[in-house]
Amino acid sequence: MSVLAAGFGLVIGALLGLVGGGGGILAVPALVYGLGLPLAEAVPASLVVIGLASAVAVAPRARREVNWRLAAVIGVAGTPTAIAGAVVNPLLDQRWLMLVFAAIMVAAGVRMLRGTDEAGGVCELPGGGVAWRRCLPRAVAVGLLVGFLTGLLGVGGGFLLVPALIVALGLRTPTAVATSLVIIVANSAAGFVPYLGASATGMNWSIIIPFAGAAIVASLPAGRLARRLTAATLRRGFAVLVLLVAAGVAAQTVTALLTT
């Protein structure tokens, strides 16, 4: 089981390093369907894995590509809603929650298949800097929404953050990828807060440790490789993977609903 967990971790770490998101999309289904954890345990486990791997993946991009001010705004806005999402999670039917998860993945995947403007936009000015008057309300809204989904679904939020940063805020793809990793770290930490204490002690660390360790190992070289690939290649590959995982999650969940 530890070897299988490490295998999943390598894939997820590579995905985070390459495209700055999507790791949570795979982590939760991998923990639930691949490693047999109940969703209530998979959610905090995923937050640990994604948060640690993202912190390592952002290292080679920290100086030149991260928009730290936007990351701070979105991260601060998402912190309270990430905690709220984690509190709400146990109150919902987990099977329907997984269907919602699949639907969100489909929406994100389809949007990422479309072309985007790499010349900057609402937030990122062509000459550098941030147009705060236009950007701030959108950045706060993105932070609130992604933060809540982070806590609710046990994902770092990168699969929503990257499209949101590119489409809604107008960041270039390299900046969006790097900035999303910083926000993922903040949201994952906030989303894990309600699980501290007895819940954390009871987590299956024999699975989480090799999972997280492998994700960390894979994320750094993947981040370096990403600089050699075009934004369109990374974006389309990410979108196809998201749609495939969404189909698998939906099929598993519908089957469970029909058999109960």
Side-chain angles (χ1 to χ4, degrees), residues 111-139:
R111 185 62 189 87
M112 290 295 281
L113 282 174
R114 300 176 182 174
T116 57
D117 184 6
E118 294 294 325
V122 176
C123 286
E124 191 174 23
L125 298 174
V130 177
W132 284 110
R133 182 175 297 180
R134 296 178 298 167
C135 180
L136 186 58
R138 294 192 183 197

Side-chain angles (χ1 to χ4, degrees), residues 86-259:
V87 172
V88 170
N89 175 277
L91 306 178
L92 303 178
D93 187 310
Q94 303 299 296
R95 296 168 299 178
W96 288 106
L97 192 56
M98 291 302 282
L99 281 179
V100 172
F101 190 22
I104 293 173
M105 284 191 286
V106 169
V110 169
R111 185 62 189 87
M112 290 295 281
L113 282 174
R114 300 176 182 174
T116 57
D117 184 6
E118 294 294 325
V122 176
C123 286
E124 191 174 23
L125 298 174
V130 177
W132 284 110
R133 182 175 297 180
R134 296 178 298 167
C135 180
L136 186 58
R138 294 192 183 197
V140 171
V142 167
L144 293 172
L145 175 61
V146 174
F148 182 75
L149 292 174
T150 294
L152 181 67
L153 301 174
V155 300
F159 78 105
L160 289 176
L161 272 170
V162 174
L165 291 173
I166 294 172
V167 177
L169 304 188
L171 300 188
R172 298 170 180 85
T173 297
T175 304
V177 168
T179 304
S180 75
L181 288 168
V182 175
I183 300 167
I184 287 168
V185 174
N187 282 349
S188 296
F192 190 73
V193 168
Y195 300 101
L196 293 175
S199 296
T201 303
M203 291 170 61
N204 193 332
W205 292 102
S206 63
I207 288 178
I208 297 171
I209 290 174
F211 200 122
I216 289 170
V217 168
S219 63
L220 191 56
R224 292 172 179 167
L225 174 62
R227 295 184 174 183
R228 303 179 183 179
L229 302 176
T230 66
T233 299
L234 293 175
R235 187 173 61 248
R236 289 168 186 165
F238 171 54
V240 170
L241 181 59
V242 166
L243 293 173
L244 290 174
V245 174
V249 170
Q252 290 271 7
T253 308
V254 170
T255 300
L257 287 169
L258 293 177
T259 56

